[in-house]
Amino acid sequence: MNKTHRKFINKKCNNWNKSLITGCLMFVSFFGFAQQTKPNIVIIYTDDQGYGDVSALNPEAKFKTPNMDRIANEGIVFTDGHSSDAVCTPSRYSLLTGRYSWRTSLKKGVLRADGPCLIEDQRMTIGSLLQKQGYNTAMIGKWHLQMEFVGDVKEGGRDWSQPFTDGPIEKGFDYFFGIPASMNYGILTYLENDRVLDPPNMYTKKKMDVTPRTYRMTPPYQAEQSKGYVEVAPSFNDEYVLETLTNRAVKYINETATEAKNGKPFFLYFPLTSPHLPHSTHPDFQGKSNCGNYGDFMQETDYRVGQVLDALKANGLEDNTLVIFSSDNGAESNYEYQRDTYQHYSCMNFKGGKRDIYEGGHRVPFLMRWPDQIKAGSVVDTPVCQTDYLATIADIVDAQLPVNAAEDSYSLYHLMKGNTEVQNRAVIHHSFTGHFAIREGKWKLNMLRGSGGSLKPVIIEPKAGEAIYELYDLENDPGETKNLYFEHPEIVSQLKTKITDIIKNGRSTAGPSQPFIKEDWSQLTWMNLN
């Protein structure tokens, strides 16, 4: 065969191959077999779960969490991962918006169930970002960022037949099913999209349990409101909330799986109500652990996580789904009871717990699994924050963030893919009382002196000659036992300057300064905003 003939044959074969490939692609597209490229994304967010409440992170745990362990062992563990705050509402705001919540009007504490949503109109959330990227988006679980119901229980009553406003549907979610806030508040009923499913026209209150500092919101309910009582629907039973929410999440995955495989992925934000008080464990799990009712509740929580993971696998979505697992803050203060009674350390060796500026208040399980992209068994020790989720997801889907969004969000995508290059960034921590700490590298500067592990943290006024703030070397002292304030004045000065700049600039990432609410901010004792 001469060269001319060979060239002619190769050209014909190449043309035939191109036609065959084009035809196959057209066939695949026509019959709906196009391969999904962008991942599905599931964020599972527990409530008041300490770092030591995952058995993969705490081999001495007095209960096992095999499904949380699956995420850790099959994906990546961020050993130095943090919620943005030590309590619920601000952490949820930061997770969804990539912005520290103390830039809003909420300078301390948490919100209730009913009122204007903390997420501002037009502010980008993970949900709204992914809506624009062609995702189905759903939020199933506990909201606790407020929403507005028609009427007032104290002033003429409610109109439960009317839609509520300023909820998840207005903040980037196509579908919502869940409850308004924590189960120790009203309004205790299930909501779907913008409607109340069963009017909460009865009343209940905390009913103390036998274990110290635990209670239930269980029936029976009463018809008239009195002091301490909150609104509840007749059908509401706190023991079945986790089961109800998880069944909805599994149903959502099943219903959107076909679309996901055909090029329209989904984002599911799944904030659970556990192990937050009340420890309302499902009857099937009561008495099953070696750590009392708390351990039982954690084992149920793990089982519910497993139901979601199993639904992904059953629908063939496991490999191309990014599962993010974390908690909104550290363990509730009854972690001391579990520690002293059962030798279970929810907060490991970290000081403090929920509400505190110390590590136990905000260092939380921080896990990700994405088999297509993340190498199983990966570990990252770099300090990271839940504010980073938005920039990370934007990076994954190749979306450009505007300058007025995700002001405190750094992409972790490179870390997920095994690039361990450390970013030059600081992480800001925030307590229930609205006080601050700044973390950079191994150094952490607490901008107060206070007690750890208490229900209502006490701020200690320093005596003459004592340190004003607390400086810790977390690389060598993760338990925050030795205050190095006087030994390293240059580090104190550097960190004070950095946190001042981060607050004044309205952002911690690169970009133009952004506005924020400056009023009623007594906790900024080291700086002047003017």
PDB file of all heavy atoms in Angstrom, residues 438 442-448 467-474 477 480-493 495:
ATOM      1  N   ILE A 438      -8.999  35.111  67.517  1.00  0.00           N
ATOM      2  CA  ILE A 438      -8.428  35.020  66.185  1.00  0.00           C
ATOM      3  C   ILE A 438      -7.391  33.914  66.176  1.00  0.00           C
ATOM      4  O   ILE A 438      -6.579  33.802  67.099  1.00  0.00           O
ATOM      5  CB  ILE A 438      -7.817  36.362  65.716  1.00  0.00           C
ATOM      6  CG1 ILE A 438      -7.190  36.184  64.313  1.00  0.00           C
ATOM      7  CG2 ILE A 438      -6.827  36.929  66.720  1.00  0.00           C
ATOM      8  CD1 ILE A 438      -6.770  37.506  63.672  1.00  0.00           C
ATOM      9  N   LYS A 442      -0.423  28.403  64.374  1.00  0.00           N
ATOM     10  CA  LYS A 442      -0.554  27.731  65.672  1.00  0.00           C
ATOM     11  C   LYS A 442      -1.054  28.658  66.771  1.00  0.00           C
ATOM     12  O   LYS A 442      -1.376  28.201  67.867  1.00  0.00           O
ATOM     13  CB  LYS A 442       0.788  27.144  66.084  1.00  0.00           C
ATOM     14  CG  LYS A 442       1.862  28.174  66.459  1.00  0.00           C
ATOM     15  CD  LYS A 442       3.128  27.477  66.926  1.00  0.00           C
ATOM     16  CE  LYS A 442       4.181  28.470  67.429  1.00  0.00           C
ATOM     17  NZ  LYS A 442       5.373  27.776  67.959  1.00  0.00           N
ATOM     18  N   TRP A 443      -1.122  29.965  66.493  1.00  0.00           N
ATOM     19  CA  TRP A 443      -1.449  30.927  67.534  1.00  0.00           C
ATOM     20  C   TRP A 443      -2.945  31.237  67.579  1.00  0.00           C
ATOM     21  O   TRP A 443      -3.590  31.416  66.550  1.00  0.00           O
ATOM     22  CB  TRP A 443      -0.675  32.223  67.321  1.00  0.00           C
ATOM     23  CG  TRP A 443       0.804  32.069  67.471  1.00  0.00           C
ATOM     24  CD1 TRP A 443       1.748  32.097  66.487  1.00  0.00           C
ATOM     25  CD2 TRP A 443       1.519  31.843  68.699  1.00  0.00           C
ATOM     26  NE1 TRP A 443       3.003  31.912  67.000  1.00  0.00           N
ATOM     27  CE2 TRP A 443       2.897  31.742  68.367  1.00  0.00           C
ATOM     28  CE3 TRP A 443       1.135  31.715  70.025  1.00  0.00           C
ATOM     29  CZ2 TRP A 443       3.875  31.533  69.321  1.00  0.00           C
ATOM     30  CZ3 TRP A 443       2.110  31.494  70.985  1.00  0.00           C
ATOM     31  CH2 TRP A 443       3.467  31.409  70.632  1.00  0.00           C
ATOM     32  N   LYS A 444      -3.449  31.339  68.800  1.00  0.00           N
ATOM     33  CA  LYS A 444      -4.839  31.747  69.005  1.00  0.00           C
ATOM     34  C   LYS A 444      -4.875  32.805  70.104  1.00  0.00           C
ATOM     35  O   LYS A 444      -4.379  32.585  71.211  1.00  0.00           O
ATOM     36  CB  LYS A 444      -5.697  30.547  69.410  1.00  0.00           C
ATOM     37  CG  LYS A 444      -7.172  30.910  69.652  1.00  0.00           C
ATOM     38  CD  LYS A 444      -7.947  29.706  70.143  1.00  0.00           C
ATOM     39  CE  LYS A 444      -9.393  30.090  70.439  1.00  0.00           C
ATOM     40  NZ  LYS A 444     -10.122  28.994  71.122  1.00  0.00           N
ATOM     41  N   LEU A 445      -5.485  33.935  69.783  1.00  0.00           N
ATOM     42  CA  LEU A 445      -5.628  35.038  70.734  1.00  0.00           C
ATOM     43  C   LEU A 445      -7.098  35.173  71.098  1.00  0.00           C
ATOM     44  O   LEU A 445      -7.929  35.522  70.251  1.00  0.00           O
ATOM     45  CB  LEU A 445      -5.112  36.345  70.135  1.00  0.00           C
ATOM     46  CG  LEU A 445      -5.214  37.583  71.036  1.00  0.00           C
ATOM     47  CD1 LEU A 445      -4.329  37.444  72.274  1.00  0.00           C
ATOM     48  CD2 LEU A 445      -4.849  38.847  70.250  1.00  0.00           C
ATOM     49  N   ASN A 446      -7.438  34.877  72.350  1.00  0.00           N
ATOM     50  CA  ASN A 446      -8.801  35.071  72.854  1.00  0.00           C
ATOM     51  C   ASN A 446      -8.928  36.496  73.368  1.00  0.00           C
ATOM     52  O   ASN A 446      -8.198  36.900  74.274  1.00  0.00           O
ATOM     53  CB  ASN A 446      -9.103  34.089  73.986  1.00  0.00           C
ATOM     54  CG  ASN A 446      -9.129  32.642  73.521  1.00  0.00           C
ATOM     55  OD1 ASN A 446      -9.315  32.373  72.340  1.00  0.00           O
ATOM     56  ND2 ASN A 446      -8.944  31.718  74.450  1.00  0.00           N
ATOM     57  N   MET A 447      -9.881  37.231  72.816  1.00  0.00           N
ATOM     58  CA  MET A 447     -10.026  38.635  73.157  1.00  0.00           C
ATOM     59  C   MET A 447     -10.902  38.819  74.404  1.00  0.00           C
ATOM     60  O   MET A 447     -11.783  39.682  74.470  1.00  0.00           O
ATOM     61  CB  MET A 447     -10.620  39.409  71.978  1.00  0.00           C
ATOM     62  CG  MET A 447      -9.946  39.138  70.651  1.00  0.00           C
ATOM     63  SD  MET A 447      -8.183  39.522  70.637  1.00  0.00           S
ATOM     64  CE  MET A 447      -8.212  41.301  70.628  1.00  0.00           C
ATOM     65  N   LEU A 448     -10.676  37.980  75.398  1.00  0.00           N
ATOM     66  CA  LEU A 448     -11.333  38.067  76.697  1.00  0.00           C
ATOM     67  C   LEU A 448     -10.636  37.085  77.619  1.00  0.00           C
ATOM     68  O   LEU A 448      -9.851  36.249  77.200  1.00  0.00           O
ATOM     69  CB  LEU A 448     -12.813  37.676  76.612  1.00  0.00           C
ATOM     70  CG  LEU A 448     -13.142  36.160  76.687  1.00  0.00           C
ATOM     71  CD1 LEU A 448     -14.590  35.976  77.043  1.00  0.00           C
ATOM     72  CD2 LEU A 448     -12.787  35.436  75.432  1.00  0.00           C
ATOM     73  N   ALA A 467      -2.924  39.242  82.686  1.00  0.00           N
ATOM     74  CA  ALA A 467      -3.116  39.395  81.246  1.00  0.00           C
ATOM     75  C   ALA A 467      -4.533  39.871  80.945  1.00  0.00           C
ATOM     76  O   ALA A 467      -5.487  39.442  81.593  1.00  0.00           O
ATOM     77  CB  ALA A 467      -2.852  38.071  80.550  1.00  0.00           C
ATOM     78  N   ILE A 468      -4.646  40.762  79.964  1.00  0.00           N
ATOM     79  CA  ILE A 468      -5.959  41.242  79.547  1.00  0.00           C
ATOM     80  C   ILE A 468      -6.644  40.176  78.694  1.00  0.00           C
ATOM     81  O   ILE A 468      -7.831  39.904  78.846  1.00  0.00           O
ATOM     82  CB  ILE A 468      -5.817  42.546  78.736  1.00  0.00           C
ATOM     83  CG1 ILE A 468      -5.129  43.612  79.581  1.00  0.00           C
ATOM     84  CG2 ILE A 468      -7.170  43.029  78.249  1.00  0.00           C
ATOM     85  CD1 ILE A 468      -4.806  44.877  78.811  1.00  0.00           C
ATOM     86  N   TYR A 469      -5.883  39.577  77.804  1.00  0.00           N
ATOM     87  CA  TYR A 469      -6.404  38.555  76.911  1.00  0.00           C
ATOM     88  C   TYR A 469      -5.610  37.262  77.104  1.00  0.00           C
ATOM     89  O   TYR A 469      -4.710  37.185  77.936  1.00  0.00           O
ATOM     90  CB  TYR A 469      -6.328  39.024  75.459  1.00  0.00           C
ATOM     91  CG  TYR A 469      -7.010  40.345  75.212  1.00  0.00           C
ATOM     92  CD1 TYR A 469      -6.336  41.383  74.580  1.00  0.00           C
ATOM     93  CD2 TYR A 469      -8.326  40.546  75.610  1.00  0.00           C
ATOM     94  CE1 TYR A 469      -6.957  42.594  74.354  1.00  0.00           C
ATOM     95  CE2 TYR A 469      -8.951  41.764  75.392  1.00  0.00           C
ATOM     96  CZ  TYR A 469      -8.270  42.787  74.763  1.00  0.00           C
ATOM     97  OH  TYR A 469      -8.896  43.975  74.546  1.00  0.00           O
ATOM     98  N   GLU A 470      -5.943  36.249  76.292  1.00  0.00           N
ATOM     99  CA  GLU A 470      -5.287  34.956  76.402  1.00  0.00           C
ATOM    100  C   GLU A 470      -4.662  34.579  75.066  1.00  0.00           C
ATOM    101  O   GLU A 470      -5.343  34.595  74.027  1.00  0.00           O
ATOM    102  CB  GLU A 470      -6.296  33.875  76.805  1.00  0.00           C
ATOM    103  CG  GLU A 470      -6.936  34.125  78.159  1.00  0.00           C
ATOM    104  CD  GLU A 470      -8.037  33.129  78.480  1.00  0.00           C
ATOM    105  OE1 GLU A 470      -8.608  32.536  77.538  1.00  0.00           O
ATOM    106  OE2 GLU A 470      -8.320  32.950  79.670  1.00  0.00           O
ATOM    107  N   LEU A 471      -3.388  34.226  75.094  1.00  0.00           N
ATOM    108  CA  LEU A 471      -2.681  33.774  73.901  1.00  0.00           C
ATOM    109  C   LEU A 471      -2.255  32.325  74.108  1.00  0.00           C
ATOM    110  O   LEU A 471      -1.598  32.001  75.105  1.00  0.00           O
ATOM    111  CB  LEU A 471      -1.458  34.652  73.634  1.00  0.00           C
ATOM    112  CG  LEU A 471      -0.607  34.240  72.424  1.00  0.00           C
ATOM    113  CD1 LEU A 471      -1.364  34.512  71.118  1.00  0.00           C
ATOM    114  CD2 LEU A 471       0.735  34.973  72.431  1.00  0.00           C
ATOM    115  N   TYR A 472      -2.606  31.473  73.153  1.00  0.00           N
ATOM    116  CA  TYR A 472      -2.266  30.056  73.264  1.00  0.00           C
ATOM    117  C   TYR A 472      -1.537  29.565  72.016  1.00  0.00           C
ATOM    118  O   TYR A 472      -1.833  29.998  70.895  1.00  0.00           O
ATOM    119  CB  TYR A 472      -3.526  29.214  73.469  1.00  0.00           C
ATOM    120  CG  TYR A 472      -4.224  29.505  74.777  1.00  0.00           C
ATOM    121  CD1 TYR A 472      -5.419  30.211  74.812  1.00  0.00           C
ATOM    122  CD2 TYR A 472      -3.671  29.082  75.988  1.00  0.00           C
ATOM    123  CE1 TYR A 472      -6.059  30.480  76.013  1.00  0.00           C
ATOM    124  CE2 TYR A 472      -4.296  29.353  77.195  1.00  0.00           C
ATOM    125  CZ  TYR A 472      -5.489  30.047  77.203  1.00  0.00           C
ATOM    126  OH  TYR A 472      -6.098  30.320  78.401  1.00  0.00           O
ATOM    127  N   ASP A 473      -0.614  28.660  72.235  1.00  0.00           N
ATOM    128  CA  ASP A 473       0.080  27.938  71.172  1.00  0.00           C
ATOM    129  C   ASP A 473      -0.639  26.597  71.013  1.00  0.00           C
ATOM    130  O   ASP A 473      -0.356  25.640  71.732  1.00  0.00           O
ATOM    131  CB  ASP A 473       1.549  27.739  71.559  1.00  0.00           C
ATOM    132  CG  ASP A 473       2.315  26.871  70.575  1.00  0.00           C
ATOM    133  OD1 ASP A 473       1.715  26.390  69.591  1.00  0.00           O
ATOM    134  OD2 ASP A 473       3.523  26.646  70.812  1.00  0.00           O
ATOM    135  N   LEU A 474      -1.565  26.510  70.061  1.00  0.00           N
ATOM    136  CA  LEU A 474      -2.394  25.318  69.949  1.00  0.00           C
ATOM    137  C   LEU A 474      -1.633  24.116  69.400  1.00  0.00           C
ATOM    138  O   LEU A 474      -2.081  22.977  69.569  1.00  0.00           O
ATOM    139  CB  LEU A 474      -3.611  25.599  69.069  1.00  0.00           C
ATOM    140  CG  LEU A 474      -4.623  26.598  69.633  1.00  0.00           C
ATOM    141  CD1 LEU A 474      -5.878  26.625  68.772  1.00  0.00           C
ATOM    142  CD2 LEU A 474      -4.989  26.267  71.071  1.00  0.00           C
ATOM    143  N   ASP A 477      -0.231  23.151  72.805  1.00  0.00           N
ATOM    144  CA  ASP A 477      -1.158  23.233  73.940  1.00  0.00           C
ATOM    145  C   ASP A 477      -2.597  23.322  73.426  1.00  0.00           C
ATOM    146  O   ASP A 477      -3.272  24.335  73.592  1.00  0.00           O
ATOM    147  CB  ASP A 477      -0.805  24.463  74.792  1.00  0.00           C
ATOM    148  CG  ASP A 477      -1.702  24.626  76.011  1.00  0.00           C
ATOM    149  OD1 ASP A 477      -2.284  23.620  76.459  1.00  0.00           O
ATOM    150  OD2 ASP A 477      -1.814  25.770  76.500  1.00  0.00           O
ATOM    151  N   GLU A 480      -5.466  24.599  75.692  1.00  0.00           N
ATOM    152  CA  GLU A 480      -5.477  25.992  76.147  1.00  0.00           C
ATOM    153  C   GLU A 480      -5.280  26.081  77.659  1.00  0.00           C
ATOM    154  O   GLU A 480      -6.093  26.652  78.389  1.00  0.00           O
ATOM    155  CB  GLU A 480      -6.783  26.684  75.721  1.00  0.00           C
ATOM    156  CG  GLU A 480      -6.942  26.786  74.217  1.00  0.00           C
ATOM    157  CD  GLU A 480      -8.304  27.285  73.776  1.00  0.00           C
ATOM    158  OE1 GLU A 480      -9.229  26.455  73.681  1.00  0.00           O
ATOM    159  OE2 GLU A 480      -8.435  28.493  73.511  1.00  0.00           O
ATOM    160  N   THR A 481      -4.163  25.547  78.109  1.00  0.00           N
ATOM    161  CA  THR A 481      -3.878  25.519  79.549  1.00  0.00           C
ATOM    162  C   THR A 481      -2.849  26.559  79.979  1.00  0.00           C
ATOM    163  O   THR A 481      -2.816  26.932  81.153  1.00  0.00           O
ATOM    164  CB  THR A 481      -3.370  24.128  79.960  1.00  0.00           C
ATOM    165  OG1 THR A 481      -2.145  23.845  79.270  1.00  0.00           O
ATOM    166  CG2 THR A 481      -4.397  23.051  79.623  1.00  0.00           C
ATOM    167  N   LYS A 482      -2.003  27.025  79.049  1.00  0.00           N
ATOM    168  CA  LYS A 482      -0.930  27.948  79.415  1.00  0.00           C
ATOM    169  C   LYS A 482      -1.040  29.242  78.621  1.00  0.00           C
ATOM    170  O   LYS A 482      -0.804  29.275  77.419  1.00  0.00           O
ATOM    171  CB  LYS A 482       0.436  27.302  79.167  1.00  0.00           C
ATOM    172  CG  LYS A 482       1.595  28.153  79.653  1.00  0.00           C
ATOM    173  CD  LYS A 482       2.940  27.461  79.447  1.00  0.00           C
ATOM    174  CE  LYS A 482       4.087  28.337  79.968  1.00  0.00           C
ATOM    175  NZ  LYS A 482       5.409  27.696  79.749  1.00  0.00           N
ATOM    176  N   ASN A 483      -1.397  30.306  79.319  1.00  0.00           N
ATOM    177  CA  ASN A 483      -1.551  31.611  78.687  1.00  0.00           C
ATOM    178  C   ASN A 483      -0.168  32.232  78.449  1.00  0.00           C
ATOM    179  O   ASN A 483       0.581  32.495  79.392  1.00  0.00           O
ATOM    180  CB  ASN A 483      -2.402  32.518  79.584  1.00  0.00           C
ATOM    181  CG  ASN A 483      -2.729  33.840  78.929  1.00  0.00           C
ATOM    182  OD1 ASN A 483      -2.339  34.115  77.804  1.00  0.00           O
ATOM    183  ND2 ASN A 483      -3.471  34.673  79.652  1.00  0.00           N
ATOM    184  N   LEU A 484       0.147  32.490  77.175  1.00  0.00           N
ATOM    185  CA  LEU A 484       1.456  33.035  76.796  1.00  0.00           C
ATOM    186  C   LEU A 484       1.374  34.514  76.436  1.00  0.00           C
ATOM    187  O   LEU A 484       2.237  35.030  75.719  1.00  0.00           O
ATOM    188  CB  LEU A 484       2.011  32.242  75.600  1.00  0.00           C
ATOM    189  CG  LEU A 484       2.174  30.735  75.818  1.00  0.00           C
ATOM    190  CD1 LEU A 484       2.632  30.068  74.525  1.00  0.00           C
ATOM    191  CD2 LEU A 484       3.159  30.469  76.951  1.00  0.00           C
ATOM    192  N   TYR A 485       0.396  35.186  76.981  1.00  0.00           N
ATOM    193  CA  TYR A 485       0.162  36.594  76.638  1.00  0.00           C
ATOM    194  C   TYR A 485       1.404  37.454  76.879  1.00  0.00           C
ATOM    195  O   TYR A 485       1.776  38.274  76.028  1.00  0.00           O
ATOM    196  CB  TYR A 485      -1.022  37.101  77.449  1.00  0.00           C
ATOM    197  CG  TYR A 485      -1.365  38.558  77.227  1.00  0.00           C
ATOM    198  CD1 TYR A 485      -2.184  38.948  76.175  1.00  0.00           C
ATOM    199  CD2 TYR A 485      -0.885  39.549  78.087  1.00  0.00           C
ATOM    200  CE1 TYR A 485      -2.510  40.282  75.980  1.00  0.00           C
ATOM    201  CE2 TYR A 485      -1.210  40.880  77.907  1.00  0.00           C
ATOM    202  CZ  TYR A 485      -2.020  41.238  76.849  1.00  0.00           C
ATOM    203  OH  TYR A 485      -2.332  42.569  76.651  1.00  0.00           O
ATOM    204  N   PHE A 486       2.046  37.298  78.022  1.00  0.00           N
ATOM    205  CA  PHE A 486       3.197  38.141  78.352  1.00  0.00           C
ATOM    206  C   PHE A 486       4.480  37.680  77.655  1.00  0.00           C
ATOM    207  O   PHE A 486       5.386  38.478  77.438  1.00  0.00           O
ATOM    208  CB  PHE A 486       3.415  38.171  79.863  1.00  0.00           C
ATOM    209  CG  PHE A 486       2.379  38.971  80.601  1.00  0.00           C
ATOM    210  CD1 PHE A 486       1.584  38.377  81.570  1.00  0.00           C
ATOM    211  CD2 PHE A 486       2.176  40.312  80.310  1.00  0.00           C
ATOM    212  CE1 PHE A 486       0.631  39.113  82.258  1.00  0.00           C
ATOM    213  CE2 PHE A 486       1.225  41.052  80.988  1.00  0.00           C
ATOM    214  CZ  PHE A 486       0.445  40.458  81.959  1.00  0.00           C
ATOM    215  N   GLU A 487       4.551  36.397  77.289  1.00  0.00           N
ATOM    216  CA  GLU A 487       5.767  35.873  76.671  1.00  0.00           C
ATOM    217  C   GLU A 487       5.937  36.281  75.222  1.00  0.00           C
ATOM    218  O   GLU A 487       7.047  36.316  74.700  1.00  0.00           O
ATOM    219  CB  GLU A 487       5.778  34.337  76.759  1.00  0.00           C
ATOM    220  CG  GLU A 487       6.116  33.789  78.132  1.00  0.00           C
ATOM    221  CD  GLU A 487       4.903  33.692  79.021  1.00  0.00           C
ATOM    222  OE1 GLU A 487       3.907  34.379  78.734  1.00  0.00           O
ATOM    223  OE2 GLU A 487       4.955  32.933  80.010  1.00  0.00           O
ATOM    224  N   HIS A 488       4.829  36.609  74.528  1.00  0.00           N
ATOM    225  CA  HIS A 488       4.912  36.910  73.096  1.00  0.00           C
ATOM    226  C   HIS A 488       4.111  38.169  72.758  1.00  0.00           C
ATOM    227  O   HIS A 488       3.103  38.114  72.039  1.00  0.00           O
ATOM    228  CB  HIS A 488       4.392  35.725  72.276  1.00  0.00           C
ATOM    229  CG  HIS A 488       5.206  34.489  72.435  1.00  0.00           C
ATOM    230  ND1 HIS A 488       6.389  34.286  71.757  1.00  0.00           N
ATOM    231  CD2 HIS A 488       4.996  33.380  73.204  1.00  0.00           C
ATOM    232  CE1 HIS A 488       6.878  33.095  72.089  1.00  0.00           C
ATOM    233  NE2 HIS A 488       6.069  32.534  72.965  1.00  0.00           N
ATOM    234  N   PRO A 489       4.548  39.320  73.241  1.00  0.00           N
ATOM    235  CA  PRO A 489       3.809  40.556  72.953  1.00  0.00           C
ATOM    236  C   PRO A 489       3.753  40.885  71.463  1.00  0.00           C
ATOM    237  O   PRO A 489       2.795  41.509  71.004  1.00  0.00           O
ATOM    238  CB  PRO A 489       4.590  41.624  73.729  1.00  0.00           C
ATOM    239  CG  PRO A 489       5.950  41.047  73.928  1.00  0.00           C
ATOM    240  CD  PRO A 489       5.748  39.582  74.075  1.00  0.00           C
ATOM    241  N   GLU A 490       4.782  40.464  70.706  1.00  0.00           N
ATOM    242  CA  GLU A 490       4.786  40.747  69.269  1.00  0.00           C
ATOM    243  C   GLU A 490       3.682  39.967  68.554  1.00  0.00           C
ATOM    244  O   GLU A 490       3.049  40.469  67.610  1.00  0.00           O
ATOM    245  CB  GLU A 490       6.165  40.424  68.669  1.00  0.00           C
ATOM    246  CG  GLU A 490       6.491  38.944  68.465  1.00  0.00           C
ATOM    247  CD  GLU A 490       6.770  38.171  69.752  1.00  0.00           C
ATOM    248  OE1 GLU A 490       6.819  38.794  70.838  1.00  0.00           O
ATOM    249  OE2 GLU A 490       6.956  36.944  69.657  1.00  0.00           O
ATOM    250  N   ILE A 491       3.411  38.728  68.991  1.00  0.00           N
ATOM    251  CA  ILE A 491       2.333  37.934  68.403  1.00  0.00           C
ATOM    252  C   ILE A 491       0.983  38.539  68.768  1.00  0.00           C
ATOM    253  O   ILE A 491       0.077  38.648  67.923  1.00  0.00           O
ATOM    254  CB  ILE A 491       2.407  36.470  68.878  1.00  0.00           C
ATOM    255  CG1 ILE A 491       3.749  35.844  68.489  1.00  0.00           C
ATOM    256  CG2 ILE A 491       1.246  35.659  68.329  1.00  0.00           C
ATOM    257  CD1 ILE A 491       3.967  35.736  67.005  1.00  0.00           C
ATOM    258  N   VAL A 492       0.832  38.955  70.011  1.00  0.00           N
ATOM    259  CA  VAL A 492      -0.405  39.607  70.447  1.00  0.00           C
ATOM    260  C   VAL A 492      -0.679  40.835  69.592  1.00  0.00           C
ATOM    261  O   VAL A 492      -1.801  41.049  69.106  1.00  0.00           O
ATOM    262  CB  VAL A 492      -0.325  39.993  71.936  1.00  0.00           C
ATOM    263  CG1 VAL A 492      -1.527  40.849  72.339  1.00  0.00           C
ATOM    264  CG2 VAL A 492      -0.235  38.740  72.809  1.00  0.00           C
ATOM    265  N   SER A 493       0.339  41.642  69.379  1.00  0.00           N
ATOM    266  CA  SER A 493       0.181  42.866  68.584  1.00  0.00           C
ATOM    267  C   SER A 493      -0.210  42.545  67.146  1.00  0.00           C
ATOM    268  O   SER A 493      -1.104  43.178  66.572  1.00  0.00           O
ATOM    269  CB  SER A 493       1.476  43.673  68.621  1.00  0.00           C
ATOM    270  OG  SER A 493       1.361  44.827  67.841  1.00  0.00           O
ATOM    271  N   LEU A 495      -1.724  39.869  65.951  1.00  0.00           N
ATOM    272  CA  LEU A 495      -3.068  39.310  65.848  1.00  0.00           C
ATOM    273  C   LEU A 495      -4.137  40.365  66.127  1.00  0.00           C
ATOM    274  O   LEU A 495      -5.203  40.357  65.500  1.00  0.00           O
ATOM    275  CB  LEU A 495      -3.215  38.130  66.803  1.00  0.00           C
ATOM    276  CG  LEU A 495      -2.373  36.889  66.451  1.00  0.00           C
ATOM    277  CD1 LEU A 495      -2.548  35.804  67.497  1.00  0.00           C
ATOM    278  CD2 LEU A 495      -2.735  36.362  65.071  1.00  0.00           C
TER     279      LEU A 495
END
